[in-house]
């Protein structure tokens, strides 16, 4: 019995001695498992880093601080922003900083026709492309330090305020116009942030200045207008190709026809261009059936703009151009010249034979990029070359009359009718 009890005690004692050893083994095993998990995690992390680095290197070729899409470029940008945040002593506008960075990326292309617009900038540009502007409805010219009103559009704020042709605007919102160019003076009328503009006006027969406050409105710009000259010669000037040009051209062209027009001069001098669709819609009113213009992108993809030729012009035509006739206005000039339906008079055109398109980003901002070259119907690439007129005539700076228009009149009178 004593031996049995002694064996039980020794068994219990051995079991008690065994417990700490098992606990130590379990702890050791847990530590080993934790080390394995830790090293596995580190290996996974390193693998992820390697994937990122490999992806940066191979998915974005040329990944360096000079590559806009690369990992190191991102790091460089972040470092510069951190320096500005921590060290720059002036005020920082994060929005302006970001916009300047985006503009800088596009300007790095070295293409003055490609650019970045904020949402607000593009909205203003889009309004202008559509053919509208924020203004009061007057046409003016600079006369010394005053704006001479040469015309007032019907049913506009200026007309409603009683402004008349031959009025002279001497102050805009209290500011004199002394030393301002025509563009700067007109800018005071258009670009004020206020909805109204206060004008101080001189008028013949009035001893005192007339003070009037005019509310600005979104108005249709007159971009195509015509008049009859002597000898039944029509004159039609197109200042820009916007969303309204085709319609205004049609009305002016029809009005001249109704007045018995037998010859036509279309004046494109100083026309900077505009929308390809607008110039094509305008040309469809006078061209024969066929190609108007075609474009080719960097991959050689071709897009053609054509005319049905339902209303080809049948009277003598002269197109007036100069060194500031550009882009869409050169599409017009090139088509007229290639089809032989008119004579080009003036000086060699600007030479902008490339097309831009706009791409809107998620925040409303827009990137405008040069995406293609355009070619005249006969396949001429006029970029950086321009179009040489059939009859060259300069307009000297000291000219006392419009010698180019006078030459156009002479040429159009000598042309035979196609009828």
């Amino acid at each position: 019995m004593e031996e049995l009890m002694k064996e039980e005690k020794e068994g219990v004692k051995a079991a008690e001695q065994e417990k700490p050893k098992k606990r130590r083994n379990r702890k050791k095993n847990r530590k080993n498992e934790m080390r394995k998990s830790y090293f596995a995690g580190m290996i996974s992390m390193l693998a992820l880093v390697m994937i990122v680095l490999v992806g940066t290197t191979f998915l974005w070729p040329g990944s360096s601080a000079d590559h806009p899409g690369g990992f190191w470029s991102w790091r460089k940008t972040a470092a510069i922003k951190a320096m500005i945040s921590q060290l720059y002593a002036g005020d920082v506008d994060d929005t302006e900083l970001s916009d300047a960075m985006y503009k800088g990326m596009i300007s790095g292309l070295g293409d003055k026709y490609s650019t970045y617009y904020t949402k607000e900038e593009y909205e203003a540009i889009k309004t202008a492309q559509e053919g509208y502007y924020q203004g009061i409805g007057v046409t003016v010219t600079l006369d010394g330090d005053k704006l001479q009103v040469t015309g007032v559009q019907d049913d506009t704020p200026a007309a409603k305020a009683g402004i008349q042709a031959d009025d002279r605007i001497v102050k805009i919102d209290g500011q004199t116009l002394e030393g301002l160019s025509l563009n700067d003076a007109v800018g005071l009328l258009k670009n004020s942030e206020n909805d109204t503009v206060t004008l101080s006006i001189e008028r013949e027969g009035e001893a005192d200045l007339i003070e009037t406050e005019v509310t600005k409105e979104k108005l249709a710009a007159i971009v195509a207008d015509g008049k009859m000259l002597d000898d039944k010669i029509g004159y039609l000037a197109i200042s820009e190709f916007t969303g309204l040009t085709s319609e205004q051209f049609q009305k002016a062209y029809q009005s001249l026809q109704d007045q018995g027009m037998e010859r036509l001069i279309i004046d494109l001098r100083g026309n900077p261009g505009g929308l390809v669709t607008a110039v094509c819609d305008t040309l469809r009113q006078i061209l024969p059936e066929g190609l108007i213009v075609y474009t080719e992108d960097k991959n050689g993809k071709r897009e053609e703009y054509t005319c049905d030729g339902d209303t080809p012009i049948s009277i003598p035509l002269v197109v007036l151009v100069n060194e500031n006739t550009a882009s869409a206005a050169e599409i017009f000039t090139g088509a007229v010249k290639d089809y032989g339906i008119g004579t080009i008079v003036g000086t060699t055109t600007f030479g902008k034979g490339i097309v831009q398109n706009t791409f809107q980003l998620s925040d409303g901002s827009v990137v405008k990029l040069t995406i293609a070259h355009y070619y005249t119907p006969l396949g001429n690439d006029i970029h950086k070359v321009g179009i040489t007129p059939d009859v060259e005539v300069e307009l000297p700076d000291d000219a006392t009359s419009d010698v180019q228009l006078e030459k156009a009149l002479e040429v159009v009178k000598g042309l035979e009718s196609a009828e």
Side-chain angles (χ1 to χ4, degrees):
M1 186 71 176
E2 284 183 0
E3 288 180 359
L4 182 60
M5 290 179 64
K6 183 178 181 180
E7 288 178 0
E8 287 179 354
K9 285 181 180 181
E10 288 178 351
V12 169
K13 184 177 180 181
E16 288 176 349
Q17 290 176 346
E18 187 67 24
K19 285 180 181 179
K21 186 183 290 187
K22 288 183 177 179
R23 283 197 295 269
R24 285 195 299 270
N25 289 336
R26 283 197 296 270
K27 285 182 180 180
K28 187 175 181 180
N29 290 336
R30 281 200 297 270
K31 285 182 179 180
N32 289 335
E33 290 174 1
M34 288 175 66
R35 287 195 188 97
K36 289 179 181 178
S37 298
Y38 173 80
F39 286 118
M42 286 297 292
I43 291 170
S44 298
M45 181 66 73
L46 288 171
L48 179 60
V49 170
M50 289 299 293
I51 289 170
V52 170
L53 292 176
V54 170
T56 301
T57 303
F58 295 105
L59 297 181
W60 296 324
S63 178
S64 69
D66 298 323
H67 190 278
F71 174 73
W72 296 111
S73 174
W74 173 83
R75 287 191 61 183
K76 184 175 180 178
T77 302
I80 293 172
K81 291 187 73 174
M83 287 182 213
I84 292 171
S85 176
Q86 296 172 21
L87 303 174
Y88 180 63
D91 295 329
V92 177
D93 185 314
D94 287 336
T95 300
E96 289 186 6
L97 200 64
S98 297
D99 288 338
M101 181 173 65
Y102 306 140
K103 287 179 183 290
M105 182 180 291
I106 302 300
S107 70
L109 296 172
D111 176 10
K112 63 182 178 180
Y113 302 111
S114 295
T115 189
Y116 167 87
Y117 298 114
T118 65
K119 180 181 179 181
E120 294 73 22
E121 288 171 339
Y122 183 66
E123 285 175 351
I125 290 169
K126 187 177 179 182
T127 297
Q129 288 178 335
E130 291 170 350
Y132 295 91
Y133 70 98
Q134 195 77 7
I136 63 173
V138 294
T139 53
V140 294
T141 186
L142 191 63
D143 181 12
D145 58 357
K146 303 170 185 177
L147 281 179
Q148 177 88 31
V149 178
T150 57
V152 180
Q153 291 176 241
D154 294 335
D155 196 30
T156 61
K160 295 171 186 175
I163 297 174
Q164 302 172 11
D166 296 328
D167 281 349
R168 291 171 297 280
I169 301 171
V170 297
K171 290 182 182 179
I172 300 173
D173 287 333
Q175 179 178 337
T176 66
L177 311 183
E178 186 176 357
L180 297 183
S181 66
L182 177 60
N183 285 340
D184 290 338
V186 171
L188 293 178
L189 286 175
K190 291 183 176 181
N191 301 332
S192 168
E193 294 181 358
N194 300 323
D195 293 330
T196 62
V197 60
T198 300
L199 306 179
S200 302
I201 295 173
E202 283 183 355
R203 181 173 294 163
E204 190 73 28
E206 298 287 344
D208 299 323
L209 290 178
I210 299 171
E211 301 285 342
T212 181
E213 185 177 76
V214 187
T215 301
K216 293 185 293 184
E217 294 180 2
K218 183 180 178 181
L219 303 171
I222 305 301
V223 290
D225 199 11
K227 61 182 179 181
M228 278 294 278
L229 305 178
D230 295 337
D231 302 318
K232 297 184 178 180
I233 298 173
Y235 172 84
L236 209 164
I238 305 175
S239 61
E240 192 173 358
F241 288 98
T242 72
L244 297 177
T245 303
S246 176
E247 179 184 349
Q248 291 183 7
F249 179 90
Q250 190 276 329
K251 289 180 179 178
Y253 187 45
Q254 185 61 54
S255 175
L256 292 172
Q257 288 176 313
D258 293 343
Q259 295 175 62
M261 173 180 64
E262 295 180 356
R263 301 172 190 275
L264 175 63
I265 296 171
I266 295 177
D267 194 344
L268 298 180
R269 291 177 297 176
N271 186 320
L275 303 175
V276 174
T277 52
V279 68
C280 289
D281 287 343
T282 304
L283 280 166
R284 288 185 179 104
Q285 300 177 50
I286 63 171
L287 283 184
E289 182 179 2
L291 187 63
I292 299 173
V293 67
Y294 67 92
T295 65
E296 285 188 1
D297 66 14
K298 65 188 296 183
N299 299 313
K301 182 181 178 182
R302 175 166 167 156
E303 183 174 3
E304 296 184 349
Y305 298 81
T306 60
C307 176
D308 292 336
D310 294 334
T311 55
I313 192 168
S314 58
I315 59 175
L317 170 67
V318 162
V319 176
L320 258 176
V321 298
N322 65 7
E323 63 278 5
N324 294 317
T325 301
S327 193
E330 292 176 287
I331 290 178
F332 191 104
T333 306
V336 168
K337 186 170 185 176
D338 282 7
Y339 278 104
I341 64 171
T343 301
I344 314 302
V345 174
T347 56
T348 300
T349 61
F350 184 83
K352 179 179 180 287
I354 50 179
V355 180
Q356 287 71 46
N357 202 355
T358 54
F359 305 89
Q360 192 161 34
L361 305 178
S362 58
D363 63 352
S365 60
V366 168
V367 173
K368 182 175 77 171
L369 286 179
T370 297
I371 54 131
H373 276 245
Y374 77 73
Y375 300 84
T376 69
L378 294 181
N380 296 315
D381 181 357
I382 60 92
H383 191 55
K384 296 184 179 180
V385 176
I387 299 172
T388 303
D390 301 304
V391 179
E392 293 195 57
V393 54
E394 298 276 352
L395 181 61
D397 293 336
D398 58 352
T400 57
S401 63
D402 190 343
V403 295
Q404 289 178 325
L405 178 57
E406 291 168 2
K407 188 65 176 180
L409 287 165
E410 177 189 326
V411 171
V412 80
K413 288 177 183 179
L415 295 176
E416 294 293 330
S417 174
E419 292 180 331

